[in-house]
């Protein structure tokens, strides 16, 4: 099946720094990518939807200036957590699809710990 | 909000069939039913999806009722590695509606 690669798998950073997470579709072109966040023992929460070449659409309550999303090509989307704080510590997961009615494939996730 | 309702947890004996129910009574005519599972600290794994006909693949079978208001995921011979949280998701046709909205899922524990 299709593969979505997410990097890094784990990152620890100091409060106030920025962290970039990459999501790549390895064997297909992803017109749409989604970014999720998951806190311990909770379900995945959609943060934003990104379409190649256009601005991301953020879910209500997600700060677009804090969580910068770039989808510059059909195989790469990045999520940058700016000025990270301990409350941003979470498991971040991306997913990618080729269009409507297709399967969405998920990355392996990034565990962010902000000290 | 998630448009599905699932039991929070289920147990299954190893080697037996695991039947995971899902209610989606407000599903629209063009919405598909998707099943994913998540093993601890990993990204969700696609299992199967369907519109109105029953579906089967190498992992599982999906049985959708005729009125499409509920479905059942069947793992025919559960193994210990099938222990995971299983999510039943109703997905729209595409674009901003094409994302997957996750509910709380069912935590399946397969026991020896």
């Amino acid at each position: 099946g299709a593969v979505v690669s997410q990097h890094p798998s784990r990152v620890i950073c100091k409060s106030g720094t920025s962290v970039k997470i990459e999501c790549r579709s390895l064997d297909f072109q992803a017109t749409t990518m989604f970014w999720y966040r998951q806190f311990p023992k909770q379900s995945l929460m959609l943060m934003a939807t990104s379409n190649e070449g256009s601005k991301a659409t953020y879910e209500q309550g997600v700060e677009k200036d804090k969580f910068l999303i770039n989808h510059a090509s059909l195989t790469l989307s990045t999520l940058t957590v700016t000025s990270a704080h301990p409350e941003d510590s979470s498991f971040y997961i991306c997913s990618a699809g080729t269009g409507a009615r297709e399967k969405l494939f998920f990355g392996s996730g990034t565990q962010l710990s902000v000290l | 909000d998630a448009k599905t309702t699932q039991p929070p947890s289920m147990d299954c004996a190893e080697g037996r069939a695991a039947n995971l129910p899902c209610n989606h009574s407000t599903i629209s005519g063009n919405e598909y039913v998707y099943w994913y599972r998540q093993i601890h600290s990993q990204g969700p794994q696609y299992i199967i999806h369907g519109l109105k006909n029953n579906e089967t693949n190498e992992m599982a079978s999906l049985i959708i009722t005729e009125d499409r208001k509920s479905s059942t995921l069947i793992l025919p011979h559960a193994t210990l590695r099938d222990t995971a949280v299983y999510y039943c998701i109703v997905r729209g046709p595409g674009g901003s509606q094409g994302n997957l909205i996750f509910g709380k899922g069912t935590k399946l524990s397969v026991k020896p």
Side-chain angles (χ1 to χ4, degrees), chain A:
Chain A
V3 178
V4 174
S5 174
Q6 187 172 341
H7 179 80
S9 59
R10 180 178 294 274
V11 59
I12 301 172
C13 69
K14 293 182 179 180
S15 184
T17 61
S18 294
V19 174
K20 179 183 285 188
I21 302 169
E22 291 188 349
C23 180
R24 295 180 183 272
S25 56
L26 297 185
D27 53 0
F28 67 100
Q29 293 185 326
T31 53
T32 305
M33 288 187 174
F34 303 96
W35 287 94
Y36 293 82
R37 179 168 54 181
Q38 185 176 32
F39 292 106
K41 297 186 178 181
Q42 294 187 22
S43 188
L44 285 76
M45 293 177 55
L46 180 68
M47 299 175 66
T49 301
S50 72
N51 293 296
E52 186 265 337
S54 62
K55 291 184 178 180
T57 302
Y58 291 81
E59 295 299 302
Q60 189 173 8
V62 178
E63 300 175 57
K64 63 179 181 180
D65 295 329
K66 181 169 185 61
F67 299 100
L68 301 179
I69 292 173
N70 184 288
H71 193 161
S73 77
L74 287 172
T75 59
L76 174 64
S77 176
T78 61
L79 168 67
T80 301
V81 183
T82 62
S83 186
H85 288 93
E87 57 265 30
D88 297 324
S89 298
S90 186
F91 191 54
Y92 291 87
I93 309 168
C94 70
S95 70
T98 56
R101 308 191 188 284
E102 296 297 327
K103 294 178 277 188
L104 288 182
F105 301 95
F106 286 80
S108 55
T110 298
Q111 182 63 52
L112 171 63
S113 299
V114 184
L115 304 179

Side-chain angles (χ1 to χ4, degrees), chain B residues 1-8 10 19-28 31-35 62-73 86-91 101-106:
Chain B
D1 291 340
K3 299 177 67 174
T4 62
T5 304
Q6 299 176 252
M10 290 183 63
N19 298 287
L20 291 86
C22 178
N23 287 321
H24 31 79
S25 59
T26 61
I27 191 170
S28 300
E31 291 180 319
Y32 281 67
V33 179
Y34 282 75
W35 283 84
L62 173 60
I63 308 299
I64 303 175
T65 58
E66 192 170 343
D67 63 8
R68 301 210 324 124
K69 292 185 177 181
S70 66
S71 61
T72 301
L73 177 74
Y86 287 76
Y87 296 99
C88 167
I89 303 164
V90 167
R91 183 186 181 199
I101 304 298
F102 285 79
K104 296 182 179 180
T106 296

